Structure formats: structure tokens, C-alpha cells
């Protein structure tokens, strides 16, 4: 049997990172997780790291600020996956991945690098609105650095994480289902794509040793989870047995709401606009340079959104 690649996960205690660690272990990869000294007194992070160790992962002490240490860590593996946080809070953590690119280039042994993407395809977002475009711009800068350094790579376009977009019926500023009223973006008929976060991790790990995904973007498009906001609302109404009042928000009004918000929410409004008004997740066919995950890995039984929402009843 082909040997499974050794995987290093950077950002392993994060929201998607912890799922990548679990999926890597579940799929039998020797799994390494960066343990940053900067976590300091964050006892929750430390305990999560120790729980990964108990499940068979190896913790590697390394920091993005310690070049030599990071090179030594990267030299122990075949695949590096970054799950560094996005740019919602002006932290620009995505930019810190340039360090990682330098290190991977110097180490010279990495067969595949997956930078932190896991959302909309940034290469299709050159027109994105300020200030939310920071996410796409920073992800594209990292892509350019990877490609200039000739690092073998895969980009994961995971669309909407279910917990953040589905049970709340696509409402901003809440994760729970609305009780009486729901704000509907435009006519509510634009299709988005919702993916269980554990499925995101499963498909991601499936792709890392697959020659079909080399230097490509993998789009996660589970057919039954390509839904309009109206369809999401109807699913919840059917499950809960309660009909909600619908308040339709025209695009101009939605965009105007940005002006009194803080930076993070302005970023959010921009992203929601592109997804729910413009249809940026579904208004294109996957062309050359892309593959669709459920077609590559039909054996994965992905979570349907009705089942996902049942947890919230
Ligand atoms: P998190 O906010 O959970 O953070 C991930 C990790 O980033 C942290 O655990 C930490 O790693 C690392 N990190 C944070 N700050 C620093 C720092 N200063 N230096 C080094 N490492 C740092 O990230 P998410 O899981 O929310 O986001 C990961 C990716 O997913 C992003 O690209 C984001 O854009 C995308 N995303 C997609 C969504 C979707 O719906 N499709 C929704 C949300 C995010 P450590 O474990 O070492 O402490």
C-alpha cells in the first residue's frame, strides 16, 4: 500500500484547523501540529494540543518568528496545511503565511502546500468591495508567492461553513435560528453552497496525496447543499414547524448598513453581498485548473443541511 504522507498543520487549534488535525489522523496520516510558544497562558489551546497528542499527533514547537525552527519542523513532513485565521480584525494573519512560503521554499522537501483558503475562490474576487476585499487580496498575494517559488500546492474553495451560515438562516450577527422574523437578501433566490466543517476537513485531507489535485483549486460543491436562502429558510420552517415573517432587504439598503459598523462587520457585509446578492459562489462553472470534491471522492457521505439543522431544534 502507498505510504500516507506526513502532514504538518499550522493553526491547528483554530476553528477549521482542529478539524483538519482530526481528519488527518482519521485518514491515517502521520500528523504533526505546530505548537507556538506565543500561545502563552492560553490553557484551552494547550489542552487541545495535548488532546491531539493523545490521539496520535506529534506536537512540534515552532514559531513563525523562528525561521530555523520552522524549517526544521517543515523538513519532517511531506505536506503542510495552513489554517491561519482570516483578516476580519485587521490582524493580517494571512500575510504571515509569507514566512511559511519562505520556509517551505528553503526546506525544499514539501510535496504539497495548502495555504489558508477554505472560503470563496479569491481568484474570482478581484472586483470585491472594500474593506472585505482584504481577505481575497491577501490570499492572492500568498498564492502568487507560492507559485513564484514553484511550490506544489492545492487551494481549497470550501464555500460557506455550515455553522456560520446555515442554522441562523444566513443572518449576520447570530449563530442561532431566528424565532419570529428573518431578513432575506433580495429575493432570496441566489444559490450559495453550505458545507459541514468536518466535511471540509475530510475532503481537504483526501486531496493532499491525490495527483489529480496537484496545482489545482478544489471546489466543494455537495449537490444537495447548493441552496438558496429561501430554500434554507423553508428547510428550517419544515423542521421547526414554525413559519417566519420574511423581511426582504434590497441590495442598496444592505450595503448602506455598512456605514455604522466596525471593520469586522463591514468585511462581513461585503462578503455576504457577494455571496447572497451577486451569487459569487455559484455563478461560474469549474473550468480548467479546478476540480470538484464530491466528484473526486464520491465515497464521502457528506452532511445534508436538514440533518445539520436538526441539532438546533
Ligand atoms: P481561526 O480564527 O480559528 O484561527 C486559526 C489559527 O490561526 C489559530 O488557531 C492560530 O493558530 C493561528 N493564528 C492566529 N493568530 C496568529 C498569529 N498572530 N500568529 C500565528 N498564528 C496565528 O481561523 P479560522 O479557522 O476561522 O479560519 C481559517 C481559514 O478559514 C481562513 O482562511 C478564513 O478566511 C477561512 N474561513 C472560511 C469561512 C467560510 O465560511 N468558508 C469562515 C471562517 C473562516 P494556533 O493553533 O497555532 O494558535
Amino acid at each position: 500500500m502507498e505510504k500516507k504522507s506526513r502532514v504538518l498543520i499550522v493553526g491547528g487549534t483554530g476553528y477549521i484547523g482542529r478539524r483538519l488535525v482530526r481528519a488527518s489522523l482519521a485518514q491515517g496520516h502521520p500528523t504533526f501540529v505546530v505548537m507556538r510558544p506565543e500561545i502563552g497562558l492560553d490553557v484551552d489551546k494547550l489542552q487541545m494540543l495535548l488532546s491531539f497528542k493523545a490521539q496520535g499527533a506529534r506536537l512540534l514547537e515552532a514559531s513563525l518568528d523562528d525561521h530555523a525552527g520552522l524549517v526544521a519542523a517543515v523538513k519532517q513532513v511531506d505536506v503542510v496545511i495552513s489554517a491561519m485565521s482570516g483578516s476580519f480584525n485587521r490582524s493580517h494573519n494571512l500575510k504571515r503565511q509569507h514566512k511559511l512560503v519562505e520556509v517551505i521554499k528553503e526546506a525544499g522537501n514539501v510535496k504539497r502546500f495548502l495555504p489558508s483558503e477554505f472560503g470563496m475562490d479569491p481568484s474570482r474576487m478581484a472586483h470585491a468591495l472594500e474593506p472585505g476585499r482584504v481577505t481575497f487580496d491577501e490570499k492572492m498575494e500568498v498564492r502568487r508567492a507560492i507559485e513564484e517559488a514553484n511550490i506544489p500546492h492545492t487551494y481549497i474553495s470550501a464555500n460557506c461553513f455550515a455553522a456560520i451560515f446555515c442554522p441562523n438562516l444566513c443572518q449576520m450577527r447570530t449563530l442561532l435560528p431566528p424565532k419570529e422574523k428573518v431578513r432575506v437578501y433580495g429575493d432570496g433566490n441566489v444559490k450559495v453552497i453550505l458545507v459541514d466543517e468536518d466535511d471540509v476537513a475530510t475532503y481537504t485531507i483526501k486531496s493532499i496525496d491525490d495527483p489529480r489535485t496537484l496545482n489545482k483549486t478544489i471546489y466543494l460543491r455537495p449537490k444537495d447543499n447548493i441552496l438558496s436562502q429561501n430554500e434554507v429558510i423553508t428547510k428550517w420552517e419544515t423542521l421547526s414547524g414554525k413559519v417566519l415573517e420574511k423581511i426582504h432587504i434590497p441590495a442598496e439598503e444592505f450595503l448602506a448598513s455598512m456605514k455604522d459598523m466596525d471593520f469586522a462587520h463591514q468585511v462581513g457585509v461585503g462578503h455576504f453581498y457577494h455571496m447572497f446578492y451577486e451569487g459569487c459562489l455559484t455563478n461560474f462553472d469549474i473550468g480548467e485548473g479546478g476540480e470538484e470534491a464530491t466528484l473526486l471522492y464520491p465515497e464521502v457521505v457528506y452532511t445534508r443541511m436538514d440533518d445539520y439543522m436538526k441539532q438546533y431544534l
Side-chain angles (χ1 to χ4, degrees):
M1 210 174 73
E2 192 101 329
K3 241 174 95 192
K4 296 255 182 182
S5 58
R6 295 162 300 173
V7 181
L8 175 68
I9 296 164
V10 182
T13 69
Y15 183 65
I16 201 66
R18 72 191 70 164
R19 291 171 170 83
L20 290 164
V21 173
R22 292 198 293 254
S24 176
L25 288 167
Q27 291 182 39
H29 290 273
T31 302
F32 299 70
V33 185
V34 165
M35 180 163 70
R36 295 182 298 128
E38 295 87 358
I39 68 172
L41 297 180
D42 191 333
V43 70
D44 286 335
K45 266 193 199 290
L46 178 60
Q47 291 199 337
M48 196 186 301
L49 287 163
L50 292 174
S51 79
F52 296 153
K53 188 168 145 192
Q55 293 164 62
R58 272 198 48 202
L59 306 180
L60 296 182
E61 278 193 64
S63 165
L64 289 169
D65 299 322
D66 166 18
H67 185 83
L70 205 51
V71 171
V74 165
K75 280 204 166 145
Q76 297 188 53
V77 301
D78 310 298
V79 173
V80 177
I81 305 178
S82 165
M84 298 270 298
S85 54
S87 308
F88 268 83
N89 54 6
R90 294 190 202 269
S91 65
H92 302 292
N93 281 328
L94 290 169
K95 281 188 170 205
R96 305 203 78 217
Q97 294 180 107
H98 287 279
K99 263 264 145 239
L100 209 45
V101 174
E102 280 169 32
V103 162
I104 291 170
K105 188 177 170 187
E106 181 176 325
N109 59 300
V110 169
K111 296 193 182 72
R112 200 77 72 97
F113 175 43
L114 283 69
S116 186
E117 293 245 346
F118 307 110
M120 306 176 216
D121 178 356
S123 74
R124 295 178 185 276
M125 301 306 298
H127 63 290
L129 296 170
E130 295 282 6
R133 61 173 301 125
V134 61
T135 307
F136 314 118
D137 290 345
E138 291 184 0
K139 287 182 177 178
M140 283 309 290
E141 283 164 26
V142 173
R143 281 193 186 193
R144 277 191 286 275
I146 292 169
E147 290 166 26
E148 273 165 26
N150 280 321
I151 295 170
H153 55 269
T154 299
Y155 305 135
I156 303 292
S157 179
N159 296 306
C160 301
F161 289 174
I164 300 175
F165 290 92
C166 182
N168 57 3
L169 313 184
C170 321
Q171 309 296 286
M172 291 183 68
R173 295 174 182 251
T174 179
L175 295 173
L176 293 173
K179 292 199 167 40
E180 308 289 339
K181 301 174 183 180
V182 56
R183 285 160 58 89
V184 180
Y185 306 116
D187 64 10
N189 287 326
V190 170
K191 297 271 187 185
V192 296
I193 306 172
L194 303 150
V195 191
D196 179 314
E197 293 82 346
D198 289 318
D199 293 338
V200 171
T202 298
Y203 287 118
T204 301
I205 300 297
K206 285 248 167 201
S207 76
I208 60 181
D209 281 343
D210 187 342
R212 296 172 298 176
T213 63
L214 179 63
N215 297 339
K216 290 208 168 152
T217 300
I218 307 308
Y219 297 89
L220 274 53
R221 289 186 163 185
K223 199 159 63 60
D224 293 351
N225 293 354
I226 302 177
L227 299 166
S228 67
Q229 189 188 5
N230 286 334
E231 288 170 325
V232 173
I233 293 169
T234 303
K235 280 183 188 297
W236 176 251
E237 288 179 333
T238 307
L239 279 172
S240 66
K242 185 164 181 191
V243 175
L244 298 166
E245 183 186 341
K246 322 289 181 302
I247 301 164
H248 290 266
I249 315 291
E252 314 72 62
E253 186 182 327
F254 183 68
L255 286 174
S257 70
M258 219 194 265
K259 89 174 163 6
D260 301 320
M261 292 178 175
D262 61 21
F263 179 81
H265 286 100
Q266 289 182 356
V267 168
V269 167
H271 291 191
F272 269 66
Y273 171 77
H274 292 299
M275 290 187 277
F276 290 97
Y277 289 93
E278 191 182 272
C280 71
L281 301 180
T282 52
N283 64 6
F284 64 93
D285 294 325
I286 299 170
E288 233 173 88
E291 298 285 347
E292 199 281 312
T294 66
L295 296 178
L296 292 176
Y297 313 114
E299 69 279 12
V300 176
V301 181
Y302 64 81
T303 303
R304 271 68 179 170
M305 288 303 113
D306 315 65
D307 285 333
Y308 196 89
M309 283 196 276
K310 278 182 191 155
Q311 303 172 80
Y312 293 74
L313 283 172

